[in-house]
Amino acid sequence: MRQDAARNRELVLAAAREVYAEQGVEAPLDVIAQRAGVGNATLYRRFPDRAALIEAVFHDTLSAAIEAGEEARRAPDAWAALTGYATGIFAGLAGDRGAIDLMTTSLTGVPTLEALHAHNAETYRVLLARCREDGTVRPDVTVEDLLLALAALGRAVPAAEEAAPGSWRRLLTLLLDGLRAGASGALPGSPLSGSQLARALGGLHGGSGSRRSLEGRGTSRRASKDVKDVKDVSAARPRP
C-alpha cells in the first residue's frame, strides 16, 4: 500500500472511531469522510461498505472482549467471573455509542462481531451453569434472560454516564444481584427462546425486531443514503 493510501486509511479509521463513539455505528459515512478530511471516493475505495469499516475499526476491541471471555471461563470462582466479566464489558461501553450498538443489538455482516456475540453467549452460558452447580444463582434464570437484561441496561449506559459518571455500576450491580440464589419467588412467564432473543435484540435499536444487516435491504435510512453515495461517486473512483 502506498504511503499516501496508508495515511488516508488511518485518517478514516481514526475519524470513524470518533464519530461512532459520538453517534453510533449508523452515523452517515460522509460525516466520517469529512471528519477524516478525505473525499467519499477515498473512503469507499478503502472500505467498500459500512460493515467493512466497522470490522476494521472495532476488530481489536472485539477480539479483546473474546479473550476476556476466555479468561472468565478459566477463573476458579464462577460468580466472581460472571460479575467481573459483565462489569468489564460495561466499562468498555461507557461513553462509546458505537460499542454499545455492537454489543447490544444484532447487526450482521461484521465477522468479528458475529464471533463475539456467539462467544459472549457461550461465556454466560458456561458461567451460569457453573454458578448453578455452586448454588450461587437462582435456578430458573436462563442465559437468554441475562443477555436481554444486560442488552437493555447497556442501552441506558450513555445517558447514565453523562448524567453521573460511573452510575451504571450501581444499575449493573442491582441487575446482577437479582440473579442470586434465594430469591423470594419464581420468575413469571416462560424464558425466551434463542429466536425470540434475536428478535428482541434487533428491536432494541429501533428496528423491526429482526437481525439488522449493514448492507442491502437491511440498512437503515441513513445507511441507504450511504449506498446511494457509493453510486454517486463510483464514476469518480480511480482504478485500483
Side-chain angles (χ1 to χ4, degrees), residues 92-105 151 154-158:
L93 300 182
D96 190 334
R97 285 190 56 189
I100 290 171
D101 285 349
L102 296 183
M103 290 298 296
T104 62
T105 60
R155 301 303 298 175
V157 166

Side-chain angles (χ1 to χ4, degrees), residues 19 23-33 50 222 225-226:
V19 173
Q23 303 180 26
V25 297
E26 288 191 350
L29 297 187
D30 57 353
V31 171
I32 294 172
R50 183 184 297 272
R222 281 187 296 184
K225 174 184 181 298
D226 296 327

Side-chain angles (χ1 to χ4, degrees), residues 21 52 104 120 124 142 167 175 185 220 230 240:
T104 62
N120 183 57
Y124 282 121
T142 68
S167 58
L175 187 158
S220 68
V230 176

